[in-house]
Amino acid sequence: MSVAGLGRGSPVRYGHAVMVVAKQPATARTAEDERSFRYAIFIIFALTVLRLLWIASGTTDLYPDEAYYWIWSLHPAWGYYSKPPLVAWLIAATTWLTGSDNELAVRLAAPLLHFSTALVIYALAWRLYDSRTAFWSSIGYATLPGVWVSSVIISTDAPLLLCWSIALFAFVRAREPGGARWWWLAGVAAGMGLLAKYAMIYWFISAFLFLAIDRDERRHLWRCAGAAALALLIYLPNFIWNYDHGFVSYHHTEANAHLVGSLVHPLELLTFVASQFGVFGPVFFAVLLLCVLLARRAFAARREALLAFFALPTLALILIESFLSRAEPNWAAPAYVSAIVLVVAFLLAKRQRALIWGSILLHTFVVIALAELKPAANAFGYDLPAKYDALHRLRGWRRLGTTVSQMLREHPGMVLMADGREVMAALIYYVHPHPLNALKWNAMGGIHDQFDLTAHPNRYIG
């Protein structure tokens, strides 16, 4: 017997394994379900408020990439040098709504997006399993080390992960009897994901692989293709922008891959693997690796196979990239949307709930300790050296901006010029009034960032 959906109430078959799930309609909510959902909402909301308060405290300055995106937001467009436009649109929206361009206004979308993603993961896990798995999956996601970091800075990952999770939930619902309308949501979410970050393409790879490999799933291929077409239609304006700008974003992505010279970098591979114990958490990542080793049993049921297909291909591709060249720790982040549900379900099935809440506490304690280490040292009269401060790259920019502001006031009519993207972005944000006419000195020629497109000193010739 095969089933189209993954609701709770019938045997689930994948390969030769059959698992009987508790008989309960997927749409029925019990009092326990309602209580679990309320508790999850309360905890995730409290974490979000904590993150907003921490941002508002002014403990850190904007990272140069955040300032860079803020500059983009001043000129809304369908694309920018290195990224699609969604992150700039979000900053434009939050700064307009708050009437401010301070750090809280610029970063406001990040914690709210992760709050939403945690709730979507709750819905996904509830649909596939039960309220207990949903509760621990959503709290587990909200407290992942990588999510802690991503929740207090604005980056392309926050909107990407929300779009990924919505598209995945819609994918699950669309395959259920009578769920055809959910393909529309899958297409819209995937299209917005492409406008957030090009890594959304991994979602399509996972979806088509899952549908193509299993014979019973192949009947959904055409509708999934329709969702993909809708996603590409939503993404089309960014493609047109790239066409008009010499496909500069694609060339940047190609340059990031850095597939030149030697294509054997085992140390980079090991470094990336080690970083994932930090991004996903040491216990959770170890359990994910264990699931891979026990794949024939761990992924025997179709719902586990589905979650694995939306995690492992992405992780495998980034592992290959790290071996051929290099990979940043956050590049595999989309894999952990489904991986957190997979790992939590595995641990609950093995009666290892202590490992789940222990990991949650560990992640929370370590992240808060690292974030507050320098202020705590200062409170005891000790100036912690930057090399021991995990947030040292988020400090000092305001002070630099204050110094340069004074220099510009002392030399009226002078134009600010910098020869690096990070310094230039930070100075434009932290110098007051904002020197939006600043120039980028590009001694090497070529296009290396957005400033090389818009802030070239050639206009001052003569």
Side-chain angles (χ1 to χ4, degrees):
M1 170 182 181
S2 65
V3 291
L6 295 173
R8 295 158 291 172
S10 57
V12 180
R13 179 185 297 273
Y14 193 79
H16 299 290
V18 176
M19 180 179 65
V20 178
V21 186
K23 288 189 175 297
Q24 178 186 355
T27 54
R29 282 190 180 274
T30 65
E32 182 182 350
D33 291 338
E34 295 292 343
R35 185 165 56 252
S36 169
F37 183 62
R38 286 197 302 271
Y39 288 163
I41 284 275
F42 175 79
I43 293 172
I44 299 167
F45 179 76
L47 289 171
T48 303
V49 170
L50 176 64
R51 287 159 178 167
L52 288 169
L53 291 174
W54 189 83
I55 295 171
S57 71
T59 302
T60 60
D61 303 331
L62 288 189
Y63 184 67
D65 280 355
E66 297 177 278
Y68 193 41
Y69 301 149
W70 169 77
I71 295 168
W72 291 359
S73 75
L74 302 178
H75 308 282
W78 281 107
Y80 302 92
Y81 166 76
S82 59
K83 298 289 190 296
L86 190 53
V87 66
W89 295 353
L90 288 168
I91 295 172
T94 56
T95 52
W96 178 77
L97 287 171
T98 58
S100 172
D101 64 359
N102 62 23
E103 289 88 350
L104 177 60
V106 172
R107 291 169 167 167
L108 181 60
L112 300 181
L113 289 168
H114 282 293
F115 171 84
S116 302
T117 304
L119 297 187
V120 177
I121 288 175
Y122 184 100
L124 173 67
W126 184 82
R127 199 75 192 178
L128 297 181
Y129 294 93
D130 51 36
S131 58
R132 184 175 66 147
T133 307
F135 174 84
W136 290 110
S137 296
S138 60
I139 304 304
Y141 170 83
T143 55
L144 290 178
V147 171
W148 270 105
V149 174
S150 184
S151 294
V152 294
I153 62 174
I154 187 67
S155 71
T156 53
D157 286 334
L160 169 68
L161 295 178
L162 177 59
C163 293
W164 185 290
S165 63
I166 293 174
L168 177 55
F169 178 72
F171 180 86
V172 169
R173 295 299 306 271
R175 296 166 42 263
E176 297 174 355
R181 68 186 184 277
W182 286 92
W183 288 114
W184 289 94
L185 179 58
V188 171
M192 294 302 295
L194 286 172
L195 290 177
K197 194 172 183 178
Y198 297 133
M200 190 71 196
I201 195 68
Y202 299 142
W203 187 94
F204 294 98
I205 294 172
S206 294
F208 282 111
L209 276 176
F210 177 75
L211 296 179
I213 286 177
D214 187 271
R215 183 175 59 187
D216 293 334
E217 296 286 349
R218 290 173 193 161
R219 59 197 177 90
H220 299 295
L221 276 170
W222 282 109
R223 282 180 170 167
C224 187
L230 174 59
L232 291 175
L233 183 63
I234 293 171
Y235 167 73
L236 182 61
N238 179 253
F239 176 84
I240 295 173
W241 181 92
N242 268 285
Y243 177 81
D244 290 338
H245 292 80
F247 296 105
V248 65
S249 298
Y250 303 155
H251 290 314
H252 169 77
T253 303
E254 179 185 9
N256 256 356
H258 198 64
L259 297 176
V260 295
S262 172
L263 298 181
V264 178
H265 298 87
L267 185 58
E268 291 288 346
L269 172 63
L270 293 175
T271 300
F272 175 77
V273 171
S275 73
Q276 298 313 291
F277 285 94
V279 173
F280 196 46
V283 174
F284 287 164
F285 191 64
V287 172
L288 180 61
L289 296 179
L290 178 62
C291 288
V292 173
L293 293 175
L294 302 176
R296 288 181 64 85
R297 282 181 290 167
F299 307 148
R302 187 168 296 181
R303 60 187 177 184
E304 279 80 29
L306 182 146
L307 292 171
F309 266 95
F310 278 92
L312 300 184
T314 298
L315 189 56
L317 287 170
I318 304 302
L319 284 170
I320 293 170
E321 169 69 16
S322 68
F323 179 75
L324 297 178
S325 173
R326 62 177 183 84
E328 296 295 333
N330 67 308
W331 287 4
Y336 301 129
V337 170
S338 59
I340 188 62
V341 182
L342 184 65
V343 166
V344 165
F346 180 87
L347 289 172
L348 289 176
K350 301 296 182 183
R351 303 181 184 276
Q352 297 296 324
R353 188 174 64 175
L355 288 178
I356 301 174
W357 60 257
S359 293
I360 290 170
L361 293 177
L362 174 65
H363 301 163
T364 303
F365 173 78
V366 169
V367 169
I368 292 178
L370 289 175
E372 296 302 315
L373 185 59
K374 185 175 179 63
N378 290 342
F380 287 96
Y382 178 68
D383 187 16
L384 188 73
K387 64 180 179 179
Y388 299 120
D389 179 14
L391 304 181
H392 71 276
R393 298 193 72 187
L394 299 177
R395 307 192 201 274
W397 299 107
R398 179 186 299 275
R399 192 183 338 170
L400 178 62
T402 300
T403 300
V404 175
S405 296
Q406 180 62 32
M407 294 170 66
L408 288 174
R409 282 193 294 270
E410 292 171 356
H411 300 84
M414 297 296 285
V415 176
L416 177 67
M417 183 165 66
D419 64 354
R421 175 184 66 85
E422 290 193 354
V423 171
M424 184 166 174
L427 285 179
I428 291 176
Y429 181 81
Y430 280 110
V431 169
H432 293 279
H434 301 304
L436 300 178
N437 65 335
L439 303 175
K440 165 78 181 301
W441 177 254
N442 181 10
M444 297 175 61
I447 305 297
H448 308 285
D449 54 55
Q450 185 74 20
F451 295 128
D452 290 332
L453 292 173
T454 60
H456 199 283
N458 276 353
R459 68 174 183 263
Y460 280 86
I461 289 178

